Coordinates of all heavy atoms in Angstrom, one line a residue:
M1027 N -70.6 -9.2 -1.2 CA -70.3 -8.0 -0.3 C -68.9 -7.6 -0.2 O -68.1 -8.4 -0.4 CB -71.0 -8.2 1.0 CG -70.3 -9.4 1.8 SD -71.1 -9.5 3.5 CE -71.5 -11.1 3.5
F1028 N -68.6 -6.4 0.3 CA -67.3 -5.9 0.3 C -66.6 -5.9 -1.0 O -65.3 -5.8 -1.0 CB -66.4 -6.5 1.4 CG -67.2 -6.7 2.7 CD1 -67.5 -7.9 3.3 CD2 -67.6 -5.5 3.5 CE1 -68.2 -8.1 4.6 CE2 -68.2 -5.6 4.6 CZ -68.5 -6.9 5.1
G1029 N -67.3 -6.0 -2.0 CA -66.6 -6.0 -3.4 C -65.8 -7.3 -3.6 O -64.8 -7.1 -4.4
L1030 N -66.0 -8.3 -2.9 CA -65.2 -9.5 -3.1 C -65.8 -10.4 -4.0 O -67.0 -10.8 -3.8 CB -65.1 -10.1 -1.6 CG -64.1 -9.4 -0.6 CD1 -64.0 -10.3 0.6 CD2 -62.7 -9.3 -1.3
G1031 N -65.1 -10.8 -4.9 CA -65.6 -11.8 -5.9 C -65.0 -13.2 -5.5 O -64.3 -13.4 -4.6
M1032 N -65.2 -14.2 -6.5 CA -64.7 -15.5 -6.1 C -63.2 -15.6 -6.1 O -62.8 -16.3 -5.3 CB -65.4 -16.5 -7.2 CG -65.4 -18.0 -6.7 SD -66.5 -18.1 -5.2 CE -65.8 -19.7 -4.8
P1033 N -62.6 -14.9 -7.1 CA -61.0 -14.9 -7.0 C -60.5 -14.4 -5.6 O -59.6 -15.1 -5.2 CB -60.7 -14.1 -8.2 CG -61.8 -14.1 -9.0 CD -63.1 -14.2 -8.2
E1034 N -61.0 -13.3 -5.3 CA -60.6 -12.8 -3.8 C -60.7 -13.7 -2.7 O -59.9 -13.9 -1.9 CB -61.3 -11.4 -3.7 CG -60.8 -10.3 -4.5 CD -61.6 -10.2 -5.8 OE1 -62.4 -11.1 -6.0 OE2 -61.4 -9.2 -6.5
L1035 N -62.1 -14.4 -2.8 CA -62.3 -15.4 -1.7 C -61.3 -16.6 -1.7 O -60.9 -17.0 -0.7 CB -63.7 -15.8 -1.8 CG -64.7 -14.8 -1.4 CD1 -66.1 -15.3 -1.6 CD2 -64.6 -14.5 -0.1
L1036 N -61.1 -16.9 -3.0 CA -60.1 -17.9 -3.2 C -58.7 -17.7 -2.6 O -58.1 -18.5 -2.0 CB -60.0 -18.3 -4.8 CG -59.5 -19.8 -5.0 CD1 -60.5 -20.8 -4.5 CD2 -59.4 -20.0 -6.5
V1037 N -58.2 -16.4 -2.9 CA -56.9 -15.9 -2.5 C -57.0 -16.0 -1.0 O -56.1 -16.4 -0.2 CB -56.6 -14.6 -3.0 CG1 -55.3 -14.0 -2.2 CG2 -56.4 -14.6 -4.5
I1038 N -58.0 -15.4 -0.3 CA -58.1 -15.3 1.1 C -58.1 -16.9 1.7 O -57.4 -17.1 2.7 CB -59.5 -14.7 1.5 CG1 -59.3 -13.1 1.2 CG2 -59.6 -14.8 3.0 CD1 -60.5 -12.4 1.3
F1039 N -58.8 -17.7 1.0 CA -58.9 -19.1 1.6 C -57.4 -19.7 1.4 O -57.1 -20.4 2.4 CB -59.8 -19.9 0.6 CG -60.0 -21.3 1.0 CD1 -60.6 -21.8 2.2 CD2 -59.3 -22.3 0.2 CE1 -60.6 -23.0 2.4 CE2 -59.4 -23.7 0.5 CZ -60.0 -24.1 1.7
L1040 N -56.8 -19.4 0.3 CA -55.4 -20.0 0.2 C -54.4 -19.3 1.3 O -53.6 -20.1 1.9 CB -54.8 -19.7 -1.2 CG -55.5 -20.6 -2.3 CD1 -54.9 -20.1 -3.6 CD2 -55.1 -22.1 -2.0
I1041 N -54.6 -18.1 1.6 CA -53.7 -17.5 2.6 C -54.1 -18.1 4.0 O -53.2 -18.5 4.8 CB -54.0 -15.9 2.6 CG1 -53.5 -15.2 1.4 CG2 -53.3 -15.4 3.9 CD1 -53.7 -13.8 1.2
A1042 N -55.4 -18.3 4.3 CA -55.7 -18.9 5.4 C -55.1 -20.5 5.6 O -54.7 -20.8 6.5 CB -57.3 -19.0 5.7
L1043 N -55.2 -21.1 4.4 CA -54.7 -22.4 4.4 C -53.2 -22.4 4.6 O -52.8 -23.3 5.3 CB -54.9 -22.9 2.9 CG -54.8 -24.5 2.8 CD1 -55.9 -25.1 3.5 CD2 -54.9 -24.9 1.3
I1044 N -52.5 -21.4 4.2 CA -51.0 -21.4 4.5 C -50.8 -21.0 5.9 O -49.9 -21.5 6.6 CB -50.4 -20.2 3.5 CG1 -50.5 -20.8 2.1 CG2 -48.9 -20.0 4.0 CD1 -50.2 -19.7 1.0
I1045 N -51.6 -20.0 6.4 CA -51.4 -19.5 7.8 C -51.6 -20.6 8.8 O -50.9 -21.0 9.7 CB -52.2 -18.3 8.0 CG1 -51.6 -17.2 7.3 CG2 -52.1 -17.9 9.6 CD1 -52.5 -15.9 7.4
F1046 N -52.9 -21.2 8.6 CA -53.3 -22.2 9.7 C -52.9 -23.7 9.3 O -52.9 -24.6 10.2 CB -54.7 -22.1 9.8 CG -55.2 -20.7 10.2 CD1 -56.0 -20.0 9.5 CD2 -55.0 -20.3 11.5 CE1 -56.5 -18.7 9.8 CE2 -55.5 -19.1 11.9 CZ -56.1 -18.2 11.1
G1047 N -52.6 -23.9 8.0 CA -52.3 -25.2 7.7 C -53.6 -26.0 7.3 O -54.6 -25.7 7.9
A1048 N -53.4 -26.9 6.4 CA -54.5 -27.7 6.0 C -55.2 -28.4 7.2 O -56.4 -28.7 7.0 CB -54.2 -28.6 4.7
G1049 N -54.5 -28.9 8.0 CA -55.0 -29.8 9.1 C -56.0 -29.0 10.0 O -57.0 -29.6 10.6
K1050 N -55.7 -27.7 10.1 CA -56.3 -27.0 11.1 C -57.7 -26.3 10.6 O -58.7 -26.0 11.4 CB -55.5 -25.8 11.8 CG -54.7 -26.4 12.9 CD -53.9 -25.3 13.5 CE -52.9 -25.9 14.7 NZ -52.0 -24.8 15.2
L1051 N -57.8 -26.2 9.4 CA -58.8 -25.6 8.7 C -60.3 -26.1 9.0 O -61.2 -25.4 9.4 CB -58.7 -25.3 7.2 CG -58.0 -24.0 6.7 CD1 -58.1 -24.0 5.1 CD2 -58.5 -22.9 7.5
P1052 N -60.4 -27.5 8.9 CA -61.8 -28.0 9.3 C -62.1 -27.8 10.6 O -63.2 -27.4 11.0 CB -61.5 -29.5 9.0 CG -60.4 -29.6 8.1 CD -59.4 -28.4 8.4
H1053 N -61.2 -27.7 11.6 CA -61.4 -27.5 13.0 C -61.8 -26.1 13.2 O -62.9 -25.8 13.9 CB -60.2 -27.7 13.8 CG -60.3 -27.4 15.3 ND1 -61.1 -28.2 16.1 CD2 -59.8 -26.5 16.0 CE1 -61.1 -27.6 17.4 NE2 -60.4 -26.6 17.2
I1054 N -61.1 -25.2 12.4 CA -61.6 -23.6 12.7 C -62.9 -23.5 12.0 O -63.7 -22.9 12.6 CB -60.5 -22.8 11.9 CG1 -59.2 -22.9 12.5 CG2 -61.0 -21.5 11.7 CD1 -58.1 -22.2 11.7
G1055 N -63.3 -24.2 10.9 CA -64.5 -24.1 10.3 C -65.7 -24.7 11.3 O -66.7 -24.0 11.5
S1056 N -65.4 -25.7 11.9 CA -66.5 -26.3 12.7 C -66.6 -25.5 13.9 O -67.7 -25.3 14.4 CB -66.0 -27.7 13.1 OG -65.0 -27.8 14.0
S1057 N -65.5 -25.0 14.5 CA -65.8 -24.1 15.7 C -66.5 -23.0 15.3 O -67.3 -22.3 16.2 CB -64.3 -23.9 16.4 OG -63.5 -23.2 15.5
L1058 N -66.2 -22.3 14.1 CA -66.8 -21.2 13.8 C -68.3 -21.5 13.6 O -69.2 -20.7 13.8 CB -66.2 -20.7 12.4 CG -66.6 -19.2 12.0 CD1 -65.9 -18.3 12.8 CD2 -66.1 -19.0 10.5
G1059 N -68.6 -22.6 12.9 CA -70.0 -23.1 12.7 C -70.7 -23.3 14.0 O -71.8 -22.8 14.2
T1060 N -70.0 -23.9 15.0 CA -70.6 -24.0 16.4 C -70.9 -22.5 16.9 O -71.9 -22.4 17.6 CB -69.7 -24.8 17.3 OG1 -69.4 -26.0 16.7 CG2 -70.4 -25.1 18.5
A1061 N -70.1 -21.8 16.9 CA -70.2 -20.4 17.5 C -71.4 -19.7 16.8 O -72.2 -19.1 17.5 CB -69.0 -19.5 17.2
I1062 N -71.5 -19.8 15.5 CA -72.7 -19.1 14.8 C -74.0 -19.9 15.2 O -74.9 -19.2 15.4 CB -72.4 -19.4 13.3 CG1 -71.2 -18.3 12.8 CG2 -73.7 -18.9 12.6 CD1 -70.9 -18.5 11.4
R1063 N -73.9 -21.1 15.3 CA -75.1 -21.9 15.7 C -75.6 -21.5 17.1 O -76.7 -21.2 17.3 CB -74.9 -23.4 15.7 CG -76.1 -24.1 15.4 CD -75.8 -25.7 15.1 NE -74.5 -25.9 14.4 CZ -73.5 -26.7 14.7 NH1 -73.6 -27.4 15.8 NH2 -72.6 -26.9 13.9
E1064 N -74.6 -21.5 18.0 CA -74.9 -21.0 19.4 C -75.5 -19.7 19.4 O -76.4 -19.2 20.0 CB -73.7 -21.1 20.3 CG -73.3 -22.4 20.7 CD -74.3 -23.2 21.4 OE1 -74.8 -22.5 22.5 OE2 -74.5 -24.4 21.2
F1065 N -74.9 -18.7 18.5 CA -75.3 -17.3 18.5 C -76.8 -17.3 18.1 O -77.6 -16.5 18.6 CB -74.4 -16.6 17.5 CG -74.8 -15.1 17.5 CD1 -74.7 -14.2 18.5 CD2 -75.2 -14.5 16.3 CE1 -74.9 -12.9 18.3 CE2 -75.6 -13.2 16.1 CZ -75.4 -12.4 17.1
K1066 N -77.1 -18.0 17.0 CA -78.5 -18.0 16.4 C -79.5 -18.6 17.4 O -80.6 -18.2 17.6 CB -78.5 -18.9 15.1 CG -78.0 -18.2 13.9 CD -78.2 -19.0 12.7 CE -77.7 -18.2 11.4 NZ -77.7 -19.1 10.2
K1067 N -79.0 -19.7 18.1 CA -79.8 -20.3 19.1 C -80.2 -19.2 20.2 O -81.3 -19.2 20.6 CB -79.1 -21.5 19.8 CG -80.2 -22.6 20.2 CD -79.4 -23.5 21.1 CE -78.4 -24.5 20.3 NZ -77.7 -25.4 21.2
S1068 N -79.3 -18.4 20.6 CA -79.6 -17.5 21.7 C -80.3 -16.4 21.3 O -81.1 -15.8 22.1 CB -78.1 -16.9 22.2 OG -77.6 -16.1 21.2
I1069 N -80.4 -16.2 19.9 CA -81.3 -15.1 19.3 C -82.7 -15.6 19.2 O -83.6 -15.1 19.6 CB -80.8 -14.6 17.9 CG1 -79.5 -13.8 18.1 CG2 -81.9 -13.8 17.3 CD1 -79.0 -13.5 16.8
D1070 N -82.8 -17.0 18.8 CA -84.1 -17.6 18.5 C -84.9 -17.9 19.8 O -86.1 -17.8 19.9 CB -84.0 -18.8 17.6 CG -83.6 -18.5 16.2 OD1 -83.7 -17.3 15.9 OD2 -83.0 -19.4 15.5
A1071 N -84.0 -18.2 20.8 CA -84.7 -18.7 22.1 C -85.4 -17.5 22.7 O -84.8 -16.4 22.8 CB -83.6 -19.2 23.0
P1072 N -86.7 -17.7 23.1 CA -87.3 -16.7 23.9 C -86.6 -16.3 25.2 O -86.0 -17.2 25.8 CB -88.7 -17.3 24.1 CG -88.5 -18.7 24.1 CD -87.3 -18.9 23.1
P1073 N -86.6 -15.1 25.5 CA -85.9 -14.7 26.8 C -86.6 -15.4 27.9 O -87.6 -15.5 28.0 CB -86.1 -13.1 26.8 CG -87.2 -12.9 25.9 CD -87.3 -14.0 24.8
K1074 N -85.6 -15.8 28.8 CA -86.1 -16.6 29.8 C -86.9 -15.6 30.8 O -86.2 -14.6 31.3 CB -84.9 -17.1 30.7 CG -84.5 -18.6 30.0 CD -83.4 -19.1 31.0 CE -82.8 -20.4 30.3 NZ -81.6 -20.8 31.1
E1075 N -88.0 -15.8 31.1 CA -88.8 -15.0 31.9 C -88.5 -15.4 33.3 O -88.5 -16.5 33.8 CB -90.3 -15.1 31.6 CG -90.7 -14.5 30.3 CD -92.3 -14.7 30.0 OE1 -93.0 -14.8 31.0 OE2 -92.7 -14.6 28.9
A1076 N -88.3 -14.3 34.1 CA -88.0 -14.5 35.5 C -89.3 -15.2 36.2 O -90.4 -14.7 36.0 CB -87.8 -13.1 36.1
T1077 N -88.9 -16.2 36.7 CA -89.9 -17.0 37.5 C -90.6 -16.0 38.5 O -89.9 -15.5 39.3 CB -89.5 -18.2 38.1 OG1 -88.4 -18.0 38.9 CG2 -89.2 -19.3 37.0
P1078 N -92.0 -15.8 38.3 CA -92.5 -15.0 39.4 C -92.3 -15.6 40.7 O -92.7 -16.7 41.1 CB -94.0 -15.0 38.9 CG -94.2 -16.2 38.2 CD -92.9 -16.4 37.5
S1079 N -91.8 -14.7 41.6 CA -91.6 -15.2 42.9 C -93.0 -15.3 43.6 O -93.9 -14.6 43.3 CB -90.8 -14.1 43.7 OG -91.5 -12.8 43.6
P1080 N -92.9 -16.4 44.5 CA -94.3 -16.7 45.0 C -94.7 -15.4 45.8 O -94.0 -14.9 46.6 CB -93.9 -17.9 46.0 CG -92.4 -17.8 46.1 CD -92.0 -17.2 44.9
P1081 N -96.0 -15.0 45.7 CA -96.5 -13.9 46.4 C -96.4 -14.1 47.9 O -96.6 -15.1 48.5 CB -98.0 -13.9 45.9 CG -98.2 -15.2 45.4 CD -97.0 -15.8 44.9
D1082 N -95.9 -13.1 48.5 CA -95.7 -13.1 49.9 C -97.1 -12.9 50.8 O -97.1 -12.1 51.5 CB -94.7 -12.1 50.3 CG -93.9 -12.4 51.6 OD1 -94.0 -13.5 51.9 OD2 -93.3 -11.5 52.2
Q1083 N -97.9 -13.8 50.3 CA -99.2 -13.6 50.8 C -99.7 -15.0 51.4 O -99.3 -16.0 51.1 CB -100.2 -13.2 49.7 CG -100.0 -11.8 49.3 CD -101.0 -11.5 48.4 OE1 -101.7 -12.2 47.6 NE2 -101.3 -10.1 48.0
I1084 N -100.6 -14.7 52.4 CA -101.3 -15.9 53.0 C -102.7 -15.5 53.0 O -103.2 -14.4 52.8 CB -100.8 -16.2 54.5 CG1 -100.9 -14.9 55.4 CG2 -99.3 -16.8 54.4 CD1 -100.5 -15.1 56.8
L1085 N -103.5 -16.5 53.3 CA -104.9 -16.2 53.4 C -105.4 -16.1 54.8 O -105.1 -16.8 55.7 CB -105.9 -17.4 52.7 CG -105.6 -17.4 51.3 CD1 -106.6 -18.7 50.8 CD2 -106.2 -16.3 50.5
C1086 N -106.2 -15.1 55.0 CA -106.8 -14.8 56.3 C -107.7 -16.1 56.8 O -108.5 -16.5 55.9 CB -107.6 -13.6 56.3 SG -108.6 -13.2 57.9
S1087 N -107.4 -16.4 58.0 CA -108.1 -17.7 58.3 C -109.6 -17.4 58.5 O -110.3 -18.2 58.7 CB -107.5 -18.3 59.6 OG -107.5 -17.2 60.6
Q1088 N -109.9 -16.3 58.7 CA -111.4 -15.8 58.9 C -112.1 -15.5 57.6 O -113.1 -16.2 57.4 CB -111.4 -14.7 59.9 CG -113.0 -14.5 60.4 CD -113.0 -13.6 61.7 OE1 -112.2 -13.7 62.6 NE2 -113.8 -12.5 61.5
C1089 N -111.6 -14.5 56.9 CA -112.4 -14.0 55.7 C -111.8 -14.7 54.4 O -112.3 -14.3 53.5 CB -112.4 -12.6 55.8 SG -110.8 -11.9 55.5
R1090 N -110.7 -15.4 54.6 CA -110.2 -16.2 53.4 C -109.7 -15.1 52.2 O -109.6 -15.5 51.1 CB -111.1 -17.2 52.7 CG -111.7 -18.1 53.8 CD -110.7 -18.8 54.6 NE -110.0 -19.8 53.8 CZ -108.9 -20.3 54.2 NH1 -108.5 -20.2 55.4 NH2 -108.1 -21.1 53.4
R1091 N -109.2 -14.0 52.6 CA -108.7 -13.0 51.6 C -107.3 -12.9 51.9 O -106.7 -13.2 52.9 CB -109.4 -11.7 51.9 CG -110.9 -11.6 51.5 CD -111.6 -10.5 52.1 NE -112.0 -9.5 51.0 CZ -112.8 -8.5 51.3 NH1 -113.3 -8.3 52.5 NH2 -113.2 -7.6 50.4
P1092 N -106.6 -12.6 50.8 CA -105.1 -12.6 50.9 C -104.7 -11.4 51.7 O -105.0 -10.3 51.6 CB -104.7 -12.4 49.4 CG -105.9 -11.9 48.6 CD -107.2 -12.4 49.5
V1093 N -103.7 -11.7 52.6 CA -103.0 -10.8 53.3 C -101.5 -11.0 53.3 O -101.1 -12.1 53.1 CB -103.5 -10.8 54.8 CG1 -105.0 -10.3 54.9 CG2 -103.4 -12.1 55.4
Q1094 N -100.8 -9.9 53.4 CA -99.4 -10.0 53.4 C -98.9 -10.8 54.7 O -99.4 -10.7 55.7 CB -98.7 -8.6 53.4 CG -99.0 -8.0 52.2 CD -98.2 -8.6 50.9 OE1 -97.0 -9.0 51.1 NE2 -98.8 -8.5 49.9
K1095 N -97.7 -11.5 54.5 CA -97.4 -12.3 55.6 C -97.0 -11.6 56.9 O -97.1 -11.9 58.0 CB -96.1 -13.0 55.2 CG -96.3 -14.6 54.9 CD -95.0 -15.2 54.7 CE -95.1 -16.3 53.7 NZ -93.7 -16.9 53.4
D1096 N -96.4 -10.2 56.5 CA -95.8 -9.6 57.7 C -96.8 -8.5 58.3 O -96.5 -7.7 59.1 CB -94.5 -8.8 57.2 CG -94.8 -8.0 55.9 OD1 -95.9 -8.2 55.2 OD2 -93.9 -7.1 55.5
W1097 N -98.1 -8.7 57.8 CA -99.2 -7.7 58.3 C -99.5 -8.3 59.7 O -99.6 -9.5 59.9 CB -100.3 -7.8 57.4 CG -100.0 -6.9 56.2 CD1 -99.1 -6.1 56.0 CD2 -101.0 -6.8 55.1 NE1 -99.2 -5.4 54.8 CE2 -100.4 -5.7 54.2 CE3 -102.2 -7.3 54.9 CZ2 -100.9 -5.4 53.1 CZ3 -102.8 -6.9 53.6 CH2 -102.1 -6.0 52.8
L1098 N -99.8 -7.4 60.5 CA -100.1 -7.8 61.9 C -101.7 -8.2 62.1 O -101.9 -9.1 63.0 CB -99.7 -6.7 63.0 CG -98.4 -6.4 63.0 CD1 -98.0 -5.2 63.9 CD2 -97.5 -7.6 63.5
A1099 N -102.4 -7.5 61.2 CA -103.9 -7.8 61.3 C -104.5 -7.7 59.9 O -103.9 -7.1 59.0 CB -104.6 -6.7 62.3
C1100 N -105.6 -8.4 59.7 CA -106.2 -8.5 58.4 C -106.9 -7.3 58.2 O -107.7 -6.7 59.1 CB -107.2 -9.7 58.4 SG -108.2 -9.7 56.9
P1101 N -106.7 -6.6 57.1 CA -107.3 -5.3 57.0 C -108.8 -5.3 56.4 O -109.5 -4.5 56.4 CB -106.5 -4.6 55.7 CG -105.9 -5.9 55.0 CD -105.7 -7.0 56.1
H1102 N -109.2 -6.7 56.2 CA -110.6 -6.8 55.7 C -111.6 -7.2 56.9 O -112.6 -6.5 57.0 CB -110.7 -8.0 54.8 CG -109.6 -7.9 53.6 ND1 -109.7 -6.9 52.6 CD2 -108.6 -8.7 53.3 CE1 -108.7 -7.1 51.7 NE2 -107.9 -8.0 52.3
C1103 N -111.1 -8.0 57.7 CA -112.0 -8.3 58.8 C -111.4 -8.0 60.3 O -112.0 -8.0 61.3 CB -112.3 -9.7 58.9 SG -110.8 -10.9 59.2
G1104 N -110.1 -7.5 60.2 CA -109.6 -7.1 61.5 C -109.0 -8.2 62.4 O -108.6 -7.9 63.5
L1105 N -108.9 -9.3 61.9 CA -108.5 -10.4 62.6 C -107.0 -10.3 62.9 O -106.2 -10.0 62.0 CB -108.7 -11.7 61.9 CG -108.2 -13.1 62.5 CD1 -109.1 -13.4 63.7 CD2 -108.1 -14.2 61.6
K1106 N -106.5 -10.5 64.0 CA -105.1 -10.4 64.3 C -104.4 -11.6 63.8 O -104.8 -12.7 63.9 CB -105.0 -10.3 65.8 CG -104.9 -8.9 66.5 CD -104.2 -8.9 67.9 CE -104.0 -7.5 68.2 NZ -103.4 -7.4 69.6
L1107 N -103.4 -11.3 63.1 CA -102.7 -12.4 62.4 C -101.5 -12.8 63.3 O -100.9 -12.0 63.9 CB -102.1 -11.9 61.0 CG -103.2 -11.5 60.1 CD1 -102.6 -10.9 58.9 CD2 -104.0 -12.5 59.5
E1108 N -101.3 -14.1 63.3 CA -100.2 -14.5 64.2 C -98.8 -14.5 63.4 O -98.9 -14.8 62.2 CB -100.4 -16.0 64.5 CG -101.7 -16.1 65.4 CD -102.0 -17.7 65.5 OE1 -101.2 -18.5 65.4 OE2 -103.2 -18.0 65.9
A1109 N -97.9 -13.9 64.1 CA -96.5 -14.0 63.4 C -96.0 -15.3 63.5 O -96.1 -16.0 64.3 CB -95.8 -13.0 64.4
K1110 N -95.5 -15.6 62.3 CA -94.9 -17.0 62.2 C -93.4 -16.8 61.8 O -93.0 -16.6 60.8 CB -95.6 -17.7 61.0 CG -97.0 -18.1 61.3 CD -97.6 -18.8 60.2 CE -99.1 -19.0 60.3 NZ -99.8 -19.3 59.1
P1111 N -92.6 -16.8 62.9 CA -91.3 -16.6 62.8 C -90.7 -17.8 62.0 O -91.0 -19.0 62.3 CB -90.8 -16.7 64.3 CG -91.7 -17.2 65.1 CD -93.0 -17.0 64.3
G1112 N -89.8 -17.4 61.0 CA -89.1 -18.5 60.3 C -89.9 -19.1 59.2 O -89.6 -19.8 58.4
A1113 N -91.1 -18.4 59.0 CA -92.0 -19.0 57.9 C -91.8 -18.3 56.7 O -91.2 -17.1 56.7 CB -93.5 -18.8 58.3
Ligands
ZN322 ZN1 -109.6 -11.4 57.4

């Protein structure tokens, strides 16, 4: 790609060798590999699904149907729900 053949890559490699020095090249390569690996991992991993927040519901003590915590009365049977402060 980019019209680069083996000779051009070799020249680029040699320039990199001169700039960074032979000692640093393996480190650069490994850190580059790690970065690519992390990038691929983040792509492959399924997106973390937001854990569904627990439904803000309780069961009516009389008809056992779900009612919202902050409701004052059960809409199904009309039972007055007790407010539970701090619950
Ligand atoms: Zn009820």
Side-chain angles (χ1 to χ4, degrees):
M1027 64 174 123
F1028 306 120
L1030 290 180
M1032 204 59 197
E1034 287 88 352
L1035 288 177
L1036 202 64
V1037 169
I1038 290 172
F1039 178 75
L1040 284 176
I1041 291 173
L1043 198 68
I1044 292 167
I1045 292 175
F1046 298 113
K1050 280 184 180 175
L1051 269 188
H1053 176 71
I1054 291 170
S1056 70
S1057 61
L1058 197 69
T1060 306
I1062 291 173
R1063 215 176 308 133
E1064 289 295 318
F1065 181 66
K1066 279 186 178 175
K1067 206 191 292 177
S1068 69
I1069 288 176
D1070 290 341
K1074 279 183 185 172
E1075 292 187 16
T1077 51
S1079 55
D1082 206 18
Q1083 287 183 338
I1084 53 173
L1085 287 179
C1086 172
S1087 59
Q1088 188 170 310
C1089 66
R1090 311 305 298 171
R1091 285 160 120 168
V1093 290
Q1094 292 290 324
K1095 256 189 212 169
D1096 52 349
W1097 286 352
L1098 297 175
C1100 174
H1102 309 292
C1103 67
L1105 180 76
K1106 267 198 173 180
L1107 300 170
E1108 293 169 28
K1110 291 175 186 169

